Amino acid sequence: MIPIKDLRIGDLVKTTTRNPILEKGSICKVVLIDALINSIIVQKNDVDVCRCLVKEEIEGIRLTPDILEKNGWEQEYYAPIIYGHIGHDIEISFLQTSKRCSVLLNDISLCEIQYVHELQHILWALGEDANLKI
């Protein structure tokens, strides 16, 4: 479950329940956030649209090396748990003792993250392309 205050339009999330339009586990993009009624509108494949209750029907997508590689990140030659991207100075270091990743900018640790939407927020804040593929 993701608190509504932690979401932004454009975030990628995964559905946790089945409904008439989306299967459980569908990857969707947030297109509208309605804090008043604590719900969001998500879109799948630029076609299907469905209203989901934030706390009950969506969750974060765990950030993995496969997702990073699909988006142009490459494994560093000197450290197999660190991924970098040619387009910017951000590195992602997978922590061996937890499910979290450390985000580094110019070798300075910024924070720890766990989900794709958290990486999207960091990229947006730095003015980078955050349109990730899953």
Side-chain angles (χ1 to χ4, degrees), residues 42-74:
V42 295
Q43 185 174 27
K44 179 182 176 189
N45 299 331
D46 298 328
V47 178
D48 300 327
V49 177
C50 175
R51 172 172 238 129
C52 295
L53 296 175
V54 174
K55 292 183 178 179
E56 297 170 3
E57 296 183 332
I58 65 164
E59 66 185 6
I61 302 164
R62 187 158 319 273
L63 187 60
T64 65
D66 288 342
I67 291 172
L68 290 176
E69 289 172 7
K70 206 181 270 189
N71 288 280
W73 296 70
E74 296 179 359

Side-chain angles (χ1 to χ4, degrees), residues 109-128:
S109 180
L110 295 179
C111 62
E112 289 184 5
I113 61 173
Q114 192 171 348
Y115 300 108
V116 169
H117 72 278
E118 294 170 321
L119 176 59
Q120 287 181 290
H121 296 182
I122 292 167
L123 294 173
W124 281 321
L126 296 172
E128 303 290 342

Side-chain angles (χ1 to χ4, degrees), residues 5 11 17 21 49 51 59-60 68 82 86 103 125:
K5 67 179 179 54
D11 281 349
T17 60
I21 297 174
V49 177
R51 172 172 238 129
E59 66 185 6
L68 290 176
I82 297 179
I86 294 173
V103 179

Side-chain angles (χ1 to χ4, degrees), residues 19-43:
N19 66 44
I21 297 174
L22 299 171
E23 295 283 326
K24 180 178 180 177
S26 294
I27 305 298
C28 300
K29 184 188 294 187
V30 174
V31 294
L32 181 70
I33 300 169
D34 188 339
L36 186 61
I37 60 172
N38 201 30
S39 68
I40 65 168
I41 303 292
V42 295
Q43 185 174 27

Side-chain angles (χ1 to χ4, degrees), residues 76-119:
E76 298 291 338
Y77 67 91
Y78 61 88
I81 59 167
I82 297 179
Y83 286 78
H85 193 284
I86 294 173
H88 47 73
D89 295 325
I90 298 174
E91 292 180 328
I92 304 292
S93 175
F94 285 87
L95 306 173
Q96 295 175 354
T97 58
S98 85
K99 295 177 182 178
R100 302 184 70 75
C101 308
S102 181
V103 179
L104 300 109
L105 176 63
N106 296 323
D107 296 324
I108 298 170
S109 180
L110 295 179
C111 62
E112 289 184 5
I113 61 173
Q114 192 171 348
Y115 300 108
V116 169
H117 72 278
E118 294 170 321
L119 176 59

